Every structure is written in C-alpha cells, then in structure tokens.
Amino acid sequence: MYRLAVLIVVVVMPVVSVAGYGSVASGVAFAPAVSDSSAVGFKVAGVKVLPNDVSAFVSPVRDLNGDACALVKVVAPADFAFSSPLGIVKRRNEVGEIWLYLPQGSKLLTIKHPRWGVLRNYRFEKPLEGHVVYELEIDIPKPPAVVERDTVVLTRTVTDTVVVSKRKKRRPRLELRAHALFTAAFHPGGPSWGVMVGVFRRHGFYLHAQADLRRVGATVGNCDEDGFLPGDGVKPYYTGRVRRSNFAVTAGLAHRLCPWLGLFYGGGYGRSDVAWQLAASEGGGYVLNGGLSRRGVAAEAGVLFSYKRLCVSASALTLAGRQWQAVVGVGIRIL
C-alpha cells in the first residue's frame, strides 16, 4: 500500500505541475500590438521623390557610420514629432515644412502630434536612399467653422437733406510784375541789340524791339542773290563791300507758369537788308540784293526766368520763316 501511494503521488504531481505551468504560461502571454489609424486625427497624403532637389546632395548629413542620409521634407506644422527605428540623425524646422535626415535603408517612421494622436510605424514603399530628397505630405484636420452671432437693433431716424452749393475756389490774385531786359540777337551779319518789356500778373503782354544800328542807305537798283541786275545777262563787277541793316519789332502775350518761369509769344514786322557796292567801272553805288534780303512778318516765342530781381530770357525769332535768329536777354524786375 505504501509503495502504491508513492507511485500515485509521483505520477500525479507531474501532471499537476504541467497543468499549472500551462496555466501560468497562458496568463503572461503578450497580445500582438495593433495600430488603429482611425483614432488618429491626421493622415499621410503621400510620399514622392523630388528628383530636381539637390539639398541632400549639396549639403549632406551623415550618420554614425559616415553614410549620407536621406532627406525627408515633411509638409506639416512644426508641432509634429517623429521617431524611427534607426533613429533621426537631424531635424530642421523650415518655413512651412520640417526637414528630417534619416539613415539610408529606413523603412518605418512614427508621426506624433500632441492633439491629433500618433500614427505609429508608417511604412515607406521602398527603403530610403542616401543623397535623395523625399516629400511627405500630411493632411491635418480643418478647423471647425465658428459662427458668431450679433444682435442687430433696427432704429429709424428722420433726417433732412440740406443742399450746400460749393463755391468754386478762386485762384489767389498774383501781384503785378514788370520786367525790362537788354537783348542780343545772333544772325548772319549780326548781332542786333534791343530792349524787351514784359508786364503781367498771371497773364499779360510783352513788347520787343531790336536793331543792329546800321543802315544800307540809298541804292541805285536791285540784283538777285547771285548779283545779276534785272534784264542784264552779264554779271557786273562789285567791289566786295557789303552794307547790312536789320530791324524787328514783335509784341504778344505773356503768361506766368510758376513764380520763377514765364512764357511769351507774339508777332510783328522785321527786315534784313543786304546791299552790294558796284565797281567804279559799273557806275558805282549800292544795289539791294533781293535774294539775300528778308522783309515781312516776324514771329517770336521764348521763356523768361526770374529770381528775386534778376531776370533772363531766351527766345527764337524768324523773319518770314526764311531767316532765324537766336535771342537772349538779361534784365531786372522793375515792379
């Protein structure tokens, strides 16, 4: 009986021990980890290679083994955090994106956000390659629309319409000014000397007279520009002496454009006579050269500069459109 009891104990104890071990083992077994992306408030929109981006090639970042890293540019706000089984060598926050330098061969990336949760072990389609730039775009939740309500109070106000006629603003009345100038006109056979007077407020007039203070005197006839007398086919002999006489008078309007600048223009009469002396064998005397002489309508236009009491003028004068003269003047303001 004693031996039978011992045998029962020996046979039963291993069974109990095995059963107990089995129950203990089943109690400490680990359930597999499950990543539920439905609870994450963001998602990865896509990953693509940027073949034209040489950021990782020009300025490479190397891992502990000295190998060049892959550069992943994450288009997301800066409050995102990242981790990888092979580690993250370097992170840079740029404008609108985050630069992650990952060791080549990396396949997984965990993305974290303090508000929208964790997307664990996002798997790239292919292992990352060194010197290559990738773009990872993250879609984040759009903020909910906020509706603000205001209370509108409707009131009725009785108003009267008053018509006010605006009076046209009048320009200030300018003081009367008068200028007197000594002028010099430059032309063939010149110069001529003259005086000019201008009187105006905003608008006014001017008068200009000039002469070279010479006279042709009495003439015995006329000749053309080449010296031929009328009805004579043979050119007479001349001594080479020439007499000239120039005279012009113009008057017109003057306008003040600004305190220091005025404009004047007008018309009048002018003449420029040229006489050649005949040789003694031809009877002597002077003949008027009609081809070189100018008589008729004169026109003038110019500007007047004034500073304090000093004034300067510059103008152009023409006789019948056939002779042109450059005229300058210097004078003072007398009013």
Side-chain angles (χ1 to χ4, degrees):
M1 290 296 293
Y2 177 78
R3 291 182 179 181
L4 180 59
V6 173
L7 179 59
I8 293 173
V9 173
V10 172
V11 173
V12 173
M13 288 302 293
V15 175
V16 175
S17 299
V18 172
Y21 176 81
S23 64
V24 174
S26 62
V28 298
F30 292 94
V34 178
S35 177
D36 186 9
S37 60
S38 61
V40 181
F42 61 90
K43 66 177 180 178
V44 176
V47 181
K48 61 181 178 180
V49 179
L50 303 179
N52 296 327
D53 194 330
V54 295
S55 303
F57 186 82
V58 175
S59 302
V61 175
R62 301 185 181 276
D63 57 14
L64 297 178
N65 298 325
D67 297 327
C69 294
L71 173 56
V72 179
K73 295 185 176 181
V74 182
V75 182
D79 53 355
F80 274 89
F82 307 89
S83 62
S84 171
L86 298 182
I88 296 178
V89 179
K90 185 178 180 181
R91 167 179 173 155
R92 285 175 54 185
N93 291 332
E94 298 291 339
V95 178
E97 60 185 13
I98 304 168
W99 290 14
L100 301 177
Y101 290 90
L102 301 177
Q104 63 178 353
S106 297
K107 299 179 180 179
L108 303 176
L109 180 66
T110 298
I111 308 172
K112 308 173 185 179
H113 191 272
R115 179 179 177 184
W116 298 318
V118 178
L119 179 60
R120 197 175 304 279
N121 294 333
Y122 174 80
R123 181 178 296 273
F124 295 103
E125 184 178 354
K126 295 181 181 179
L128 302 183
E129 300 179 10
H131 288 304
V132 179
V133 181
Y134 301 85
E135 183 183 72
L136 188 148
E137 185 177 358
I138 297 178
D139 282 346
I140 60 177
K142 294 182 179 180
V146 178
V147 179
E148 296 183 359
R149 302 181 182 275
D150 292 335
T151 302
V152 180
V153 179
L154 179 62
T155 60
R156 300 184 64 184
T157 305
V158 179
T159 59
D160 292 334
T161 302
V162 179
V163 179
V164 179
S165 60
K166 293 185 178 180
R167 298 183 60 184
K168 186 177 180 180
K169 186 177 181 180
R170 300 181 59 184
R171 292 184 178 181
R173 184 179 179 86
L174 300 179
E175 61 179 357
L176 181 65
R177 288 188 177 182
H179 303 269
L181 298 92
F182 174 76
T183 63
F186 301 93
H187 53 83
S192 297
W193 313 100
V195 293
M196 184 175 71
V197 176
V199 179
F200 51 86
R201 295 180 188 273
R202 192 179 304 277
H203 307 286
F205 69 92
Y206 85 99
L207 176 64
H208 183 202
Q210 66 177 38
D212 60 1
L213 306 180
R214 294 178 295 183
R215 57 189 299 271
V216 172
T219 58
V220 296
N222 296 317
C223 68
D224 61 11
E225 185 175 358
D226 296 326
F228 289 93
L229 299 177
D232 192 352
V234 179
K235 183 178 180 179
Y237 291 99
Y238 294 94
T239 62
R241 293 183 179 180
V242 180
R243 288 182 179 178
R244 301 177 184 274
S245 176
N246 292 275
F247 172 78
V249 176
T250 58
L253 300 178
H255 310 280
R256 186 188 301 182
L257 304 180
C258 63
W260 51 270
L261 178 63
L263 172 69
F264 62 91
Y265 52 90
Y269 174 79
R271 79 165 182 260
S272 175
D273 293 336
V274 179
W276 289 0
Q277 186 183 33
L278 290 169
S281 61
E282 302 290 343
Y286 284 85
V287 293
L288 185 66
N289 190 315
L292 299 179
S293 300
R294 307 284 186 265
R295 294 187 179 187
V297 177
E300 184 180 18
V303 292
L304 176 67
F305 302 91
S306 63
Y307 177 73
K308 296 183 179 180
R309 300 193 66 85
L310 177 67
C311 54
V312 179
S313 69
S315 62
L317 188 146
T318 180
L319 298 179
R322 300 178 63 187
Q323 185 192 81
W324 290 88
Q325 303 178 11
V327 185
V328 295
V330 177
I332 60 173
R333 181 167 64 90
I334 56 180
L335 285 181

